[in-house]
Tab-separated table of all heavy atoms in Angstrom:
chain	number	residue	atom	x	y	z
B	72	SER	N	39.417	26.359	-44.304
B	72	SER	CA	40.854	26.070	-44.285
B	72	SER	C	41.349	25.194	-45.411
B	72	SER	O	42.555	25.255	-45.796
B	72	SER	CB	41.182	25.422	-42.920
B	72	SER	OG	40.430	24.116	-42.874
B	73	TYR	N	40.393	24.460	-45.940
B	73	TYR	CA	40.800	23.587	-47.158
B	73	TYR	C	41.149	24.501	-48.333
B	73	TYR	O	42.157	24.394	-48.942
B	73	TYR	CB	39.532	22.785	-47.503
B	73	TYR	CG	39.687	21.781	-48.717
B	73	TYR	CD1	40.965	21.283	-49.003
B	73	TYR	CD2	38.460	21.482	-49.488
B	73	TYR	CE1	41.112	20.466	-50.127
B	73	TYR	CE2	38.673	20.510	-50.477
B	73	TYR	CZ	39.963	20.131	-50.833
B	73	TYR	OH	39.999	19.243	-51.883
B	74	ALA	N	40.258	25.537	-48.705
B	74	ALA	CA	40.647	26.465	-49.738
B	74	ALA	C	41.828	27.182	-49.418
B	74	ALA	O	42.716	27.417	-50.320
B	74	ALA	CB	39.402	27.341	-50.041
B	75	LYS	N	41.929	27.726	-48.221
B	75	LYS	CA	43.147	28.554	-47.862
B	75	LYS	C	44.414	27.764	-47.920
B	75	LYS	O	45.486	28.332	-48.296
B	75	LYS	CB	42.922	29.115	-46.440
B	75	LYS	CG	41.834	30.179	-46.466
B	75	LYS	CD	41.765	30.771	-45.090
B	75	LYS	CE	40.604	31.836	-44.959
B	75	LYS	NZ	40.449	32.413	-43.675
B	76	HIS	N	44.407	26.486	-47.578
B	76	HIS	CA	45.560	25.525	-47.674
B	76	HIS	C	45.967	25.459	-49.151
B	76	HIS	O	47.137	25.348	-49.479
B	76	HIS	CB	45.263	24.274	-47.076
B	76	HIS	CG	46.448	23.350	-46.982
B	76	HIS	ND1	47.323	23.164	-45.926
B	76	HIS	CD2	46.938	22.482	-47.911
B	76	HIS	CE1	48.342	22.378	-46.204
B	76	HIS	NE2	48.043	21.884	-47.449
B	77	TYR	N	44.908	25.210	-49.993
B	77	TYR	CA	45.174	24.970	-51.462
B	77	TYR	C	45.743	26.161	-52.299
B	77	TYR	O	46.672	25.981	-53.074
B	77	TYR	CB	44.036	24.354	-52.097
B	77	TYR	CG	44.208	23.927	-53.515
B	77	TYR	CD1	44.847	22.680	-53.803
B	77	TYR	CD2	43.776	24.686	-54.497
B	77	TYR	CE1	44.980	22.339	-55.100
B	77	TYR	CE2	43.898	24.356	-55.819
B	77	TYR	CZ	44.537	23.111	-56.124
B	77	TYR	OH	44.772	22.728	-57.403
B	78	PHE	N	45.101	27.205	-52.107
B	78	PHE	CA	45.447	28.446	-52.857
B	78	PHE	C	46.520	29.255	-52.155
B	78	PHE	O	46.403	29.527	-50.978
B	78	PHE	CB	44.235	29.292	-53.108
B	78	PHE	CG	43.132	28.625	-53.929
B	78	PHE	CD1	42.046	28.040	-53.407
B	78	PHE	CD2	43.343	28.471	-55.364
B	78	PHE	CE1	41.156	27.467	-54.203
B	78	PHE	CE2	42.437	27.820	-56.165
B	78	PHE	CZ	41.344	27.317	-55.536
B	79	ASP	N	47.469	29.723	-52.970
B	79	ASP	CA	48.595	30.541	-52.383
B	79	ASP	C	48.127	31.992	-52.035
B	79	ASP	O	48.645	32.605	-51.041
B	79	ASP	CB	49.791	30.634	-53.457
B	79	ASP	CG	50.307	29.352	-53.775
B	79	ASP	OD1	50.605	28.567	-52.827
B	79	ASP	OD2	50.507	29.047	-54.952
B	80	CYS	N	47.161	32.490	-52.756
B	80	CYS	CA	46.562	33.830	-52.482
B	80	CYS	C	45.114	33.886	-52.907
B	80	CYS	O	44.791	33.215	-53.848
B	80	CYS	CB	47.462	34.950	-53.126
B	80	CYS	SG	47.741	34.729	-54.917
B	81	HIS	N	44.400	34.637	-52.243
B	81	HIS	CA	42.999	34.739	-52.587
B	81	HIS	C	42.408	36.146	-52.110
B	81	HIS	O	42.938	36.718	-51.304
B	81	HIS	CB	42.197	33.553	-51.933
B	81	HIS	CG	42.510	33.370	-50.479
B	81	HIS	ND1	41.994	34.168	-49.462
B	81	HIS	CD2	43.377	32.571	-49.846
B	81	HIS	CE1	42.434	33.789	-48.315
B	81	HIS	NE2	43.316	32.766	-48.541
B	82	THR	N	41.369	36.499	-52.790
B	82	THR	CA	40.723	37.777	-52.425
B	82	THR	C	39.220	37.682	-52.836
B	82	THR	O	38.847	36.861	-53.670
B	82	THR	CB	41.406	38.956	-53.171
B	82	THR	OG1	40.896	40.153	-52.635
B	82	THR	CG2	41.144	38.946	-54.679
B	83	TRP	N	38.506	38.402	-52.099
B	83	TRP	CA	36.916	38.523	-52.286
B	83	TRP	C	36.749	39.961	-52.706
B	83	TRP	O	37.027	40.882	-51.978
B	83	TRP	CB	36.311	38.159	-51.005
B	83	TRP	CG	34.732	38.256	-51.038
B	83	TRP	CD1	34.027	39.454	-51.168
B	83	TRP	CD2	33.783	37.196	-50.967
B	83	TRP	NE1	32.767	39.166	-51.083
B	83	TRP	CE2	32.512	37.833	-51.012
B	83	TRP	CE3	33.930	35.802	-50.812
B	83	TRP	CZ2	31.369	37.075	-50.897
B	83	TRP	CZ3	32.824	35.083	-50.742
B	83	TRP	CH2	31.526	35.709	-50.828
B	84	ILE	N	35.959	40.123	-53.756
B	84	ILE	CA	35.504	41.505	-54.186
B	84	ILE	C	34.118	41.470	-54.637
B	84	ILE	O	33.679	40.379	-55.148
B	84	ILE	CB	36.427	42.077	-55.280
B	84	ILE	CG1	36.291	41.205	-56.672
B	84	ILE	CG2	37.814	42.276	-54.865
B	84	ILE	CD1	37.070	41.812	-57.810
B	85	ARG	N	33.351	42.510	-54.449
B	85	ARG	CA	32.085	42.675	-54.973
B	85	ARG	C	32.208	43.172	-56.366
B	85	ARG	O	33.149	43.876	-56.607
B	85	ARG	CB	31.102	43.526	-54.130
B	85	ARG	CG	30.811	42.958	-52.757
B	85	ARG	CD	29.773	43.821	-52.143
B	85	ARG	NE	28.518	43.824	-52.885
B	85	ARG	CZ	27.572	42.906	-52.788
B	85	ARG	NH1	27.685	41.875	-51.992
B	85	ARG	NH2	26.398	43.086	-53.567
B	86	GLU	N	31.319	42.762	-57.286
B	86	GLU	CA	31.408	43.157	-58.622
B	86	GLU	C	31.479	44.692	-58.691
B	86	GLU	O	30.582	45.419	-58.284
B	86	GLU	CB	30.265	42.662	-59.489
B	86	GLU	CG	30.491	43.023	-60.985
B	86	GLU	CD	29.138	42.799	-61.792
B	86	GLU	OE1	28.121	42.707	-61.178
B	86	GLU	OE2	29.307	42.766	-62.957
B	87	PRO	N	32.557	45.268	-59.273
B	87	PRO	CA	32.569	46.790	-59.383
B	87	PRO	C	31.764	47.277	-60.428
B	87	PRO	O	31.502	46.645	-61.401
B	87	PRO	CB	34.083	47.070	-59.672
B	87	PRO	CG	34.546	45.806	-60.299
B	87	PRO	CD	33.734	44.708	-59.793
B	88	TYR	N	31.384	48.487	-60.219
B	88	TYR	CA	30.624	49.260	-61.292
B	88	TYR	C	31.175	50.672	-61.376
B	88	TYR	O	31.455	51.259	-60.291
B	88	TYR	CB	29.059	49.282	-60.929
B	88	TYR	CG	28.301	50.241	-61.896
B	88	TYR	CD1	28.006	49.718	-63.078
B	88	TYR	CD2	28.101	51.574	-61.573
B	88	TYR	CE1	27.367	50.599	-64.006
B	88	TYR	CE2	27.502	52.364	-62.432
B	88	TYR	CZ	27.087	51.850	-63.645
B	88	TYR	OH	26.557	52.708	-64.549
B	89	PRO	N	31.400	51.154	-62.546
B	89	PRO	CA	31.173	50.614	-63.784
B	89	PRO	C	32.218	49.591	-64.153
B	89	PRO	O	33.186	49.489	-63.488
B	89	PRO	CB	31.283	51.857	-64.831
B	89	PRO	CG	32.219	52.766	-64.109
B	89	PRO	CD	31.961	52.668	-62.676
B	90	TYR	N	32.010	48.873	-65.292
B	90	TYR	CA	32.913	47.783	-65.690
B	90	TYR	C	34.222	48.255	-66.331
B	90	TYR	O	34.468	47.923	-67.506
B	90	TYR	CB	32.193	46.797	-66.464
B	90	TYR	CG	30.845	46.352	-65.947
B	90	TYR	CD1	29.651	46.674	-66.630
B	90	TYR	CD2	30.783	45.628	-64.775
B	90	TYR	CE1	28.451	46.325	-66.096
B	90	TYR	CE2	29.564	45.256	-64.276
B	90	TYR	CZ	28.355	45.634	-64.903
B	90	TYR	OH	27.178	45.177	-64.413
B	91	GLU	N	34.868	49.129	-65.746
B	91	GLU	CA	36.148	49.656	-66.322
B	91	GLU	C	37.212	48.785	-65.976
B	91	GLU	O	37.510	48.401	-64.808
B	91	GLU	CB	36.478	51.117	-65.726
B	91	GLU	CG	35.218	52.141	-66.051
B	91	GLU	CD	35.221	52.470	-67.568
B	91	GLU	OE1	36.146	52.105	-68.267
B	91	GLU	OE2	34.152	52.930	-68.026
B	92	ALA	N	38.046	48.410	-67.000
B	92	ALA	CA	39.075	47.373	-66.841
B	92	ALA	C	40.167	47.866	-65.765
B	92	ALA	O	40.640	47.094	-64.968
B	92	ALA	CB	39.741	47.106	-68.218
B	93	ASP	N	40.518	49.171	-65.886
B	93	ASP	CA	41.532	49.706	-64.991
B	93	ASP	C	41.043	49.781	-63.526
B	93	ASP	O	41.913	49.464	-62.664
B	93	ASP	CB	42.055	51.093	-65.474
B	93	ASP	CG	40.826	52.137	-65.586
B	93	ASP	OD1	39.749	51.671	-65.553
B	93	ASP	OD2	41.168	53.229	-65.787
B	94	GLN	N	39.768	50.012	-63.394
B	94	GLN	CA	39.219	49.989	-61.944
B	94	GLN	C	39.278	48.611	-61.378
B	94	GLN	O	39.634	48.432	-60.248
B	94	GLN	CB	37.886	50.627	-62.012
B	94	GLN	CG	37.263	50.825	-60.620
B	94	GLN	CD	35.853	51.358	-60.616
B	94	GLN	OE1	35.036	50.839	-61.317
B	94	GLN	NE2	35.681	52.468	-59.966
B	95	ILE	N	38.832	47.641	-62.227
B	95	ILE	CA	38.791	46.245	-61.659
B	95	ILE	C	40.225	45.858	-61.471
B	95	ILE	O	40.477	45.094	-60.412
B	95	ILE	CB	38.079	45.360	-62.648
B	95	ILE	CG1	36.641	45.702	-62.894
B	95	ILE	CG2	38.241	43.902	-62.205
B	95	ILE	CD1	35.891	44.856	-63.882
B	96	LEU	N	41.140	46.156	-62.328
B	96	LEU	CA	42.574	45.826	-62.109
B	96	LEU	C	43.068	46.365	-60.792
B	96	LEU	O	43.771	45.626	-60.032
B	96	LEU	CB	43.409	46.164	-63.264
B	96	LEU	CG	44.932	45.983	-63.189
B	96	LEU	CD1	45.151	44.518	-63.098
B	96	LEU	CD2	45.629	46.533	-64.470
B	97	ASP	N	42.848	47.619	-60.512
B	97	ASP	CA	43.219	48.249	-59.299
B	97	ASP	C	42.793	47.521	-58.099
B	97	ASP	O	43.415	47.363	-57.103
B	97	ASP	CB	42.867	49.725	-59.250
B	97	ASP	CG	43.724	50.613	-60.193
B	97	ASP	OD1	44.749	50.130	-60.720
B	97	ASP	OD2	43.165	51.731	-60.589
B	98	ILE	N	41.461	47.096	-58.123
B	98	ILE	CA	40.892	46.487	-56.930
B	98	ILE	C	41.530	45.116	-56.718
B	98	ILE	O	41.887	44.815	-55.587
B	98	ILE	CB	39.360	46.211	-57.209
B	98	ILE	CG1	38.595	47.581	-57.182
B	98	ILE	CG2	38.680	45.410	-56.116
B	98	ILE	CD1	37.191	47.481	-57.633
B	99	ILE	N	41.739	44.316	-57.779
B	99	ILE	CA	42.485	43.035	-57.645
B	99	ILE	C	43.836	43.241	-57.067
B	99	ILE	O	44.294	42.503	-56.168
B	99	ILE	CB	42.453	42.305	-59.006
B	99	ILE	CG1	41.000	41.876	-59.365
B	99	ILE	CG2	43.330	41.074	-58.905
B	99	ILE	CD1	40.918	41.241	-60.655
B	100	ILE	N	44.560	44.179	-57.604
B	100	ILE	CA	45.933	44.472	-57.115
B	100	ILE	C	45.970	44.798	-55.732
B	100	ILE	O	46.833	44.353	-54.971
B	100	ILE	CB	46.678	45.558	-57.997
B	100	ILE	CG1	46.982	44.987	-59.358
B	100	ILE	CG2	47.858	46.042	-57.319
B	100	ILE	CD1	47.516	46.029	-60.336
B	101	LYS	N	45.080	45.693	-55.330
B	101	LYS	CA	45.000	46.225	-53.912
B	101	LYS	C	44.843	45.061	-52.909
B	101	LYS	O	45.403	44.996	-51.836
B	101	LYS	CB	43.914	47.308	-53.733
B	101	LYS	CG	43.807	47.729	-52.317
B	101	LYS	CD	42.729	48.814	-52.252
B	101	LYS	CE	42.577	49.275	-50.769
B	101	LYS	NZ	43.669	50.019	-50.250
B	102	PHE	N	43.955	44.084	-53.263
B	102	PHE	CA	43.668	43.020	-52.312
B	102	PHE	C	44.381	41.715	-52.514
B	102	PHE	O	44.402	40.900	-51.640
B	102	PHE	CB	42.094	42.828	-52.395
B	102	PHE	CG	41.257	43.731	-51.753
B	102	PHE	CD1	40.543	44.657	-52.554
B	102	PHE	CD2	41.174	43.972	-50.489
B	102	PHE	CE1	39.749	45.707	-52.064
B	102	PHE	CE2	40.358	44.957	-49.842
B	102	PHE	CZ	39.684	45.811	-50.678
B	103	LEU	N	45.004	41.664	-53.622
B	103	LEU	CA	45.802	40.383	-53.937
B	103	LEU	C	47.291	40.425	-53.652
B	103	LEU	O	47.866	39.486	-53.277
B	103	LEU	CB	45.441	39.886	-55.311
B	103	LEU	CG	45.643	38.449	-55.651
B	103	LEU	CD1	44.692	37.577	-54.774
B	103	LEU	CD2	45.313	38.147	-57.163
B	104	MET	N	47.813	41.573	-53.963
B	104	MET	CA	49.330	41.711	-53.918
B	104	MET	C	49.722	42.262	-52.498
B	104	MET	O	48.886	42.932	-51.867
B	104	MET	CB	49.847	42.620	-55.067
B	104	MET	CG	49.622	42.099	-56.410
B	104	MET	SD	50.423	43.020	-57.673
B	104	MET	CE	52.184	42.862	-57.159
B	105	PRO	N	50.919	42.048	-52.046
B	105	PRO	CA	51.381	42.491	-50.809
B	105	PRO	C	51.372	44.049	-50.735
B	105	PRO	O	51.620	44.733	-51.730
B	105	PRO	CB	52.881	42.100	-50.705
B	105	PRO	CG	52.964	40.975	-51.653
B	105	PRO	CD	51.938	41.199	-52.749
B	106	SER	N	50.945	44.540	-49.507
B	106	SER	CA	50.789	46.000	-49.412
B	106	SER	C	52.086	46.725	-49.583
B	106	SER	O	52.094	47.860	-49.949
B	106	SER	CB	50.137	46.257	-48.074
B	106	SER	OG	50.914	45.667	-47.023
B	107	SER	N	53.179	45.978	-49.369
B	107	SER	CA	54.442	46.595	-49.408
B	107	SER	C	54.815	47.073	-50.900
B	107	SER	O	55.680	47.905	-51.159
B	107	SER	CB	55.542	45.805	-48.924
B	107	SER	OG	55.542	44.540	-49.622
B	108	ARG	N	54.151	46.462	-51.907
B	108	ARG	CA	54.353	46.687	-53.298
B	108	ARG	C	53.478	47.735	-53.838
B	108	ARG	O	53.646	48.110	-55.008
B	108	ARG	CB	54.338	45.430	-54.073
B	108	ARG	CG	55.459	44.418	-53.644
B	108	ARG	CD	55.601	43.321	-54.679
B	108	ARG	NE	55.922	43.983	-56.001
B	108	ARG	CZ	55.996	43.261	-57.180
B	108	ARG	NH1	55.702	41.950	-57.130
B	108	ARG	NH2	56.258	43.816	-58.287
Side-chain angles (χ1 to χ4, degrees):
S72 57
Y73 180 28
K75 290 181 178 179
H76 181 95
Y77 182 79
F78 294 103
D79 299 315
C80 53
H81 47 82
T82 188
W83 176 293
I84 61 175
R85 291 190 64 84
E86 183 193 21
Y88 171 80
Y90 309 114
E91 299 293 340
D93 56 347
Q94 186 181 53
I95 296 177
L96 178 59
D97 285 343
I98 293 173
I99 292 177
I100 287 176
K101 179 177 177 63
F102 287 105
L103 202 59
M104 294 189 63
S106 57
S107 59
R108 296 196 57 186

